[in-house]
Amino acid sequence: MHYHLFQADYWYVPTGRSFVALVELRGGHSSSSFGTVETLEMGDDNEIGVYIPPGVAHGFFALTPVVMMYLVDQEFDASDELGVRFDDPTLAIPWPDGERIVSDRDRQNPALTEISEENLPA
């Protein structure tokens, strides 16, 4: 799962099906909604786009071969690439069964409780 402090994303799956998980990080550890998880499927039979504002962690699992359009509102800034473990038991994201492909960078993401306030949106 990754998130940004400044960049918004927009996802659309014109072909295939994808399971998407979103985690609320806005407001920091003191927010009553901090760590709230929402999941959805998008793509075939659910043709929706998903706007992901800064401060919402996001990840996906391809249920079938997919084409994903991934639009952003900022130029790439490596300092705005932050993350949280996709398998953090605190989040209990109900990922589908199947082979997971997780980047080396994402394997290093901290647990939700390990993220410092300065790495969270206000």
Side-chain angles (χ1 to χ4, degrees):
M1 304 286 293
H2 73 273
Y3 66 96
H4 314 281
L5 299 178
F6 305 105
Q7 174 183 298
D9 296 353
Y10 180 82
W11 289 358
Y12 179 71
V13 176
T15 305
R17 285 182 29 247
S18 187
F19 173 90
V20 174
L22 306 167
V23 178
E24 177 65 79
L25 302 177
R26 295 172 292 182
H29 291 282
S30 62
S31 171
S32 62
S33 62
F34 182 75
T36 301
V37 173
E38 291 290 333
T39 64
L40 60 110
E41 284 189 26
M42 57 189 304
D44 295 344
D45 299 323
N46 195 21
E47 296 182 20
I48 59 170
V50 176
Y51 172 77
I52 306 164
V56 174
H58 44 285
F60 71 94
F61 182 95
L63 298 167
T64 67
V66 299
V67 172
M68 178 181 274
M69 296 176 67
Y70 191 111
L71 307 172
V72 297
D73 71 344
Q74 307 279 323
E75 289 190 33
F76 178 76
D77 176 357
S79 69
D80 194 33
E81 292 286 325
L82 304 161
V84 61
R85 290 193 60 84
F86 79 95
D87 58 353
D88 184 337
T90 303
L91 298 175
I93 298 170
W95 294 107
D97 292 331
E99 180 185 358
R100 292 181 171 90
I101 300 171
V102 181
S103 70
D104 289 338
R105 180 191 74 179
D106 287 347
R107 288 183 207 284
Q108 304 303 315
N109 284 341
L112 185 66
T113 57
E114 298 170 336
I115 300 174
S116 63
E117 287 294 327
E118 60 264 11
N119 285 328
L120 292 170

